[in-house]
Amino acid sequence: MSARNPSDNDPRIEQPGASDREIQSVHAILLREKNEPAEGYSPMPLLLTFFVCAMFIGVAIYFVNNLGGFSPLAYDERYTLEMGEAAARGGGAKAAVDPIAQGKKLFAICATCHQAAGTGVPGAYPPLAGSEWANGSEERVIRILLHGLTGELKVHGQTYNGNMPAFGPGGGYNWSDDKIAAVLTYVRQEWGNTGGPISAEQVTAIRTKGAAGRTKPWTQPELEAIP
Ligand code: HEC
């Protein structure tokens, strides 16, 4: 490093760590030591190959265990493997559905208002346990579920005035007749209730004949006019 400028030795100026020539010679070495570009493919690293294979195997195992035996019925939310096996043996898959077990699952939505023990919330949501409506006329309770209920309603001598949502087609929940029948069957035998089961056929009949064309929620006087 020979000083060519007076400033090269000026202690007030920060001096560079290397001269241009030194930098160039280091770069030349680096360039020389780089790999020559070669033609063809470089194989996938072995470890990555194993990893990808392991992923495929993992997914395959998951599918076999969780895809309900690849049965088209597996997309039915009530489907169980046992039902698939029963169907494969020739038994009807439907026969294996327990409406009370299904209704209990569906009731989780009702429980947000009516509470898990069917007690309701005083002043807001009427009880289903021991309720004359829940246990009473099938014609009325099916209508309540299909289209909802609004306005003043007396349950156990207490007056409520809320909105029970519609669960039938066209309502926010859009439940099938099967589901409505199952949840009512569950409600009508739980917590000491004695209402007796309700079939999907009864729900279908009221939806398509008894109350065909109905879209708005029922009121107590309207329901009382129905036997
Ligand atoms: C968003 C809250 C809410 C949900 C969810 C709800 N209900 Fe209701 N339900 C009510 C209200 C409020 C009333 C009273 C309506 C009125 O005052 O006119 C009622 C009334 C009823 C009645 C008649 C009165 C009685 O106590 O027996 C039945 C039966 C009933 N609901 C069943 C159900 C079932 C079964 C479900 C689930 C499928 C359900 N409800 C989901 C709020 C709800």
Side-chain angles (χ1 to χ4, degrees):
M1 260 220 305
S2 57
R4 277 170 289 144
N5 288 323
S7 62
D8 281 0
N9 286 328
D10 191 332
R12 291 167 304 173
I13 296 175
E14 197 182 330
Q15 297 300 326
S19 72
D20 289 354
R21 193 182 300 272
E22 279 170 328
I23 290 170
Q24 271 174 1
S25 69
V26 167
H27 279 190
I29 294 167
L30 285 177
L31 279 175
R32 191 167 4 94
E33 288 180 353
K34 249 175 106 179
N35 277 344
E36 285 290 317
E39 258 185 58
Y41 306 99
S42 53
M44 188 166 25
L46 215 54
L47 212 62
L48 189 62
T49 314
F50 280 131
F51 181 68
V52 169
C53 289
M55 267 187 357
F56 273 112
I57 292 168
V59 166
I61 291 173
Y62 180 85
F63 272 11
V64 166
N65 285 335
N66 296 285
L67 237 62
F70 291 98
S71 162
L73 282 172
Y75 295 103
D76 187 328
E77 70 279 7
R78 296 159 303 176
Y79 181 84
T80 63
L81 264 184
E82 291 72 40
M83 280 164 54
E85 281 156 14
R89 280 195 305 271
K94 276 224 153 134
V97 182
D98 174 6
I100 300 202
Q102 191 203 350
K104 188 179 174 137
K105 274 193 213 157
L106 293 168
F107 186 76
I109 292 181
C110 322
T112 56
C113 295
H114 293 287
Q115 308 302 299
T119 53
V121 176
Y125 304 116
L128 298 179
S131 151
E132 60 267 40
W133 296 96
N135 286 289
S137 155
E138 299 165 356
E139 293 278 332
R140 293 177 187 172
V141 78
I142 292 174
R143 280 172 171 79
I144 294 175
L145 266 281
L146 278 172
H147 308 115
L149 186 61
T150 188
E152 285 201 350
L153 178 83
K154 254 204 173 112
V155 186
H156 280 318
Q158 295 271 353
T159 304
Y160 296 84
N161 193 352
N163 290 300
M164 155 83 187
F167 281 82
Y173 293 94
N174 210 359
W175 278 7
S176 63
D177 299 345
D178 268 351
K179 284 184 171 182
I180 291 177
V183 83
L184 282 176
T185 298
Y186 169 75
V187 165
R188 284 160 69 91
Q189 57 79 57
E190 192 69 8
W191 322 295
N193 280 356
T194 53
I198 284 181
S199 70
E201 289 71 33
Q202 284 173 291
V203 180
T204 311
I206 290 176
R207 182 172 57 74
T208 58
K209 297 194 197 92
R214 177 88 189 188
T215 48
K216 55 183 176 94
W218 297 91
T219 60
Q220 177 165 359
E222 278 180 311
L223 288 173
E224 277 166 349
I226 295 160

